[in-house]
Amino acid sequence: MTDSLERALRVAVNDLADAGRPVNLAERALRRTRVLRVRRRVATGSLVALTVLTMGGFAVWRPAAPHGPQVAAASPAGSASPSAPLVTYPGPVSYPGRWVLGSFQHATDGNAVVFDRGAGMYRTLPYRWAVLSPAGTVAAVYDAGRLGFLTLGTGTVEWVEGVSAVPSRGMWSPDGTRVVFSGGDKDPSAAQPPPPDLVVVDVATRTARTLPNGTRCGDGCHAYWVSATEVAVDPTDVTTPTTVYAADTGTVTRTLPLFGRVGVRWTGSPDGGYVVLDKDGETIVQDRSARTLVCTLPADTRDVYWIDEITMLVIRPDGVSKVDLEGRVTEVFPFPSWVRTGMVDHTLVKA
Amino acid sequence: MRRASVLVEVHVDEAAERDFTEFVAQRTHALFRVAYALTGDQHAAEDLLQNALAKAAMRWTRIEGDGEAYVKRILYRDCVSIWRWRSRRRETLMATPPEPRADDGVDPDLRLLLIDALRGLPPKQRAVLVLRYLDDLSEKQVAEVLGCSTGTVGSQASRALDKLRRHIGPALLTRLTEVPR
C-alpha cells in the first residue's frame, strides 16, 4: 500500500470515528449488568426454564386505546428513548399480496414502531427493536440486551430471563410458536472468541434450548428459520454449504448450496423454488433447483417479500417496489411522508 | 454471619460501581469513537458499547491492567462475532457528516469515498482496519485482540484494501499516487 493511501485511510477512519455522538451509557450498562447477573444465576445446562417477568401490572399503553393520533406516557422500562412520547400513527399501510407495513424504527431516537392490527394503528414503543410475530399479535422486543414479548392487545410485556446469551434480533418461526436468536455472553477475555450459541425460545412453554452444535458463523452472524422446524446461520466461508439444524434437537439435518448469504431472514419464494441472497454487495435471486442466478434486485434493496412465485415486494429507502423475476420494477409505492422521514428498518407482515 | 457477608458484598459492589461509573464518564468518548468506527451507525454503536461496558462491569474488580483496553477488546470481538444486522442490508444514515480536516492534505472526494467504502466492509475487515489505523496496532497486536492468526489478519486486510481500491476507482487512485510524500 502506498504511503499516500495509508495516510488517506488513517484520516478516513478517524473521520468516521468522529461522526457519532457519544452518549452517557454508564447507567444503561449497569442496568444491563444486573440483568446479566440474574441470567448467570438462573442458566444451568443446555435446556433451561425461563423466568418470565410480567411488568408488575404495568402496560406500555392502556388497553382499548382510542383510534387516531395520540401521545401516551413513555414506559420507564425502556432505554431506547425513555423520555420520548409514544406517538401513534394511523394504519395500516397496505401493499399487494396482503402485506402491510409491520414495523420500522425512528432513525433519530432509535424507538421501534409496530402495527397494532387490533387498534388499527402504529405504536411507537420505548424499545430499540421490535419484531412482529407472523400473526401480528405479539412483538418480540429488545432493550438493553433483554428479550421480551409484547402482547399488542393488552400492551403488556413479559421479559424473558434465564438465557445466557445476548439476544440478537430474533426471528419468529413461520408458525409463530418459537423465536431463534444467536449470541453469547461467554468470557470476552478468552484467548479465542467463543462461537455464538443458537438459542430457540418456545413462546408457549417458556423454555429455551441452546442448540448443542455451537456453530461458528460468518460476519453478520444471525440465526434464521429455513422451515417451520429448522434453523441455520450463514457459514464463515460463503463458498461452503449452509448447515441446517433441527430446532428441536440441534442435530444437523441437511446442507444448502447457496450462492451468497441469507443475511437476517430466509426469503424463499412461496413454492420454495427461489431464494433471495446477498452476494458481493448485491441482492440476487437464486434458482434453488437449477442453482442458477435468476436476477439482480435494485441496488438500494433493503429487504424482500414475495407476493407470489414470480413477483416480489422490495423495500427501498423511500418506499416499496413491485419487482418481477427479471429484476424489473413494475410498480412503486412511496412511503407516506410520516414513514419516510427519518425512519429506517421497515418490515412487512401479512394482513 | 450471613448478614455480615451480604453487607460486605453490597459494599464491594457499590465501590466497584462508583469506580466503573467514573471510568465510563472519563472514557466514553474514546470508546464510542471505536464503536462508531466499527459500526458506522449511531444506535448500533450505542448498543455495541453498552453491551461491552455491561460485560466489563461484571468483571470490573477482576480485570487486570488497563480497563479501556479490556473494553476495546470486547468491542472488537463482539462486533465480529455477534454482530446484529438490523435488516438484509444495513441502513447507512449518518447522524452528522464528518467535519473536513483543514490540514490533513487528503483529497476531500477521496476521503468521503473512503468513509463510504469503510461503512460497506464486512465487520471483520473493518475491525482489522480500525485496529490498524485508529488504534495504531501492529498486525500481531491486531491478531491478539481479535483472537485469530496474523495470517487471517493479513488476508482480511488485503481483501479490505482491494475493496477500498475498487470503490475509489482508478481516477482517484491515480491522483492519490501523485500526492507528494
Side-chain angles (χ1 to χ4, degrees):
Chain A
M1 185 167 56
T2 63
D3 285 353
S4 50
L5 177 55
E6 187 161 358
R7 185 161 53 90
L9 187 51
R10 194 176 301 279
V11 169
V13 171
N14 276 275
D15 276 351
L16 181 58
D18 287 336
R21 302 184 307 276
V23 294
N24 183 4
L25 295 171
E27 177 53 37
R28 285 193 212 171
L30 288 170
R31 183 150 54 91
R32 166 92 177 106
T33 303
R34 292 169 195 132
V35 173
L36 288 175
R37 281 183 178 137
V38 171
R39 285 185 184 152
R40 288 278 163 81
R41 292 189 195 112
V42 176
T44 52
S46 61
L47 180 61
V48 297
L50 301 182
T51 306
V52 180
L53 305 175
T54 305
M55 295 299 295
F58 179 82
V60 177
W61 61 79
R62 291 190 182 91
H67 287 245
Q70 59 174 300
V71 177
S75 161
S79 74
S81 185
S83 60
L86 301 183
V87 180
T88 60
Y89 305 93
V93 179
S94 301
Y95 298 103
R98 293 181 53 248
W99 289 105
V100 298
L101 183 61
S103 67
F104 49 93
Q105 186 188 34
H106 287 268
T108 48
D109 58 25
N111 285 14
V113 181
V114 297
F115 178 58
D116 179 352
R117 68 181 61 197
M121 67 172 69
Y122 290 90
R123 296 184 182 277
T124 305
L125 305 178
Y127 309 118
R128 181 61 51 86
W129 296 339
V131 184
L132 278 175
S133 64
T137 54
V138 178
V141 295
Y142 303 88
D143 179 72
R146 294 183 297 174
L147 166 68
F149 293 102
L150 165 65
T151 302
L152 289 158
T154 61
T156 56
V157 179
E158 294 179 319
W159 292 106
V160 176
E161 304 290 356
V163 180
S164 182
V166 179
S168 61
R169 173 171 158 174
M171 279 292 125
W172 287 89
S173 59
D175 59 5
T177 61
R178 292 181 283 186
V179 169
V180 65
F181 60 85
S182 59
D185 266 350
K186 296 165 185 172
D187 184 0
S189 63
Q192 293 294 323
D197 293 321
L198 293 187
V199 182
V200 177
V201 179
D202 187 307
V203 179
T205 62
R206 316 304 197 202
T207 56
R209 178 179 292 275
T210 300
L211 300 188
N213 287 288
T215 178
R216 185 176 295 276
C217 49
D219 294 339
C221 174
H222 200 104
Y224 49 83
W225 293 87
V226 174
S227 67
T229 58
E230 298 169 308
V231 296
V233 291
D234 286 337
T236 304
D237 180 358
V238 291
T239 62
T240 60
T242 298
T243 304
V244 178
Y245 304 92
D248 289 335
T249 61
T251 55
V252 175
T253 57
R254 56 187 169 133
T255 60
L256 301 172
L258 300 174
F259 284 177
R261 296 186 184 283
V262 170
V264 300
R265 188 171 60 83
W266 177 261
T267 314
S269 59
D271 63 359
Y274 303 109
V275 62
V276 180
L277 302 168
D278 288 341
K279 179 176 173 56
D280 297 331
E282 294 184 322
T283 305
I284 63 166
V285 178
Q286 175 184 331
D287 184 325
R288 293 183 61 200
S289 57
R291 298 184 186 179
T292 54
L293 171 67
V294 178
C295 68
T296 299
L297 298 179
D300 57 0
T301 296
R302 301 298 188 213
D303 210 343
V304 181
Y305 296 83
W306 289 83
I307 296 176
D308 52 40
E309 281 74 11
I310 57 171
T311 319
M312 292 160 277
L313 288 175
V314 173
I315 296 184
R316 305 168 77 178
D318 293 331
V320 175
S321 297
K322 194 154 84 171
V323 177
D324 64 20
L325 270 181
E326 295 184 7
R328 293 178 304 197
V329 174
T330 58
E331 200 168 355
V332 175
F333 307 92
F335 285 135
S337 58
W338 54 270
V339 177
R340 186 172 60 248
T341 306
M343 305 294 188
V344 296
D345 288 344
H346 307 87
T347 68
L348 304 187
V349 66
K350 280 287 186 179
Chain B
M1 191 66 184
R2 183 179 175 185
R3 179 177 180 136
S5 67
V6 170
L7 285 174
V8 169
E9 182 182 337
V10 170
H11 174 73
V12 170
D13 278 352
E14 286 180 349
E17 281 198 6
R18 278 198 302 273
D19 187 45
F20 174 77
T21 304
E22 188 177 339
F23 164 81
V24 174
Q26 291 177 350
R27 303 311 304 160
T28 288
H29 182 72
L31 293 169
F32 191 82
R33 289 185 82 236
V34 173
Y36 195 89
L38 287 171
T39 61
D41 177 276
Q42 179 73 23
H43 303 309
E46 289 178 17
D47 287 344
L48 183 66
L49 179 54
Q50 178 183 323
N51 278 328
L53 289 172
K55 290 181 180 180
M58 288 185 68
R59 300 172 176 83
W60 194 243
T61 57
R62 289 171 283 155
I63 295 174
E64 296 178 0
D66 184 1
E68 184 173 339
Y70 187 88
V71 175
K72 279 186 179 178
R73 181 182 294 258
I74 301 172
L75 283 177
Y76 284 111
R77 290 188 174 187
D78 276 2
C79 175
V80 171
S81 64
I82 58 168
W83 183 241
R84 298 163 293 178
W85 285 25
R86 292 179 183 173
S87 57
R88 180 167 295 281
R89 289 191 176 186
R90 291 190 49 70
E91 302 286 349
T92 54
L93 291 178
M94 291 187 73
T96 310
E99 290 295 324
R101 293 164 191 260
D103 57 351
D104 57 32
V106 175
D107 186 311
D109 293 338
L110 173 64
R111 193 178 65 234
L112 290 175
L113 270 175
L114 278 172
I115 291 171
D116 187 46
L118 282 167
R119 299 164 76 95
L121 290 177
K124 195 162 193 173
Q125 293 177 15
R126 183 157 50 185
V128 168
L129 295 189
V130 172
L131 281 161
R132 288 296 303 271
Y133 297 110
L134 190 65
D135 276 357
D136 287 318
L137 299 189
S138 68
E139 197 168 83
K140 184 181 176 187
Q141 289 170 319
V142 172
E144 288 171 358
V145 170
L146 294 180
C148 61
S149 68
T150 54
T152 299
V153 171
S155 64
Q156 291 290 321
S158 177
R159 287 178 199 168
L161 291 172
D162 283 347
K163 286 182 182 173
L164 295 184
R165 287 192 184 96
R166 284 200 301 273
H167 193 86
I168 293 169
L172 269 176
L173 264 181
T174 304
R175 283 160 61 181
L176 188 62
T177 56
E178 291 169 353
V179 174
R181 293 184 182 181

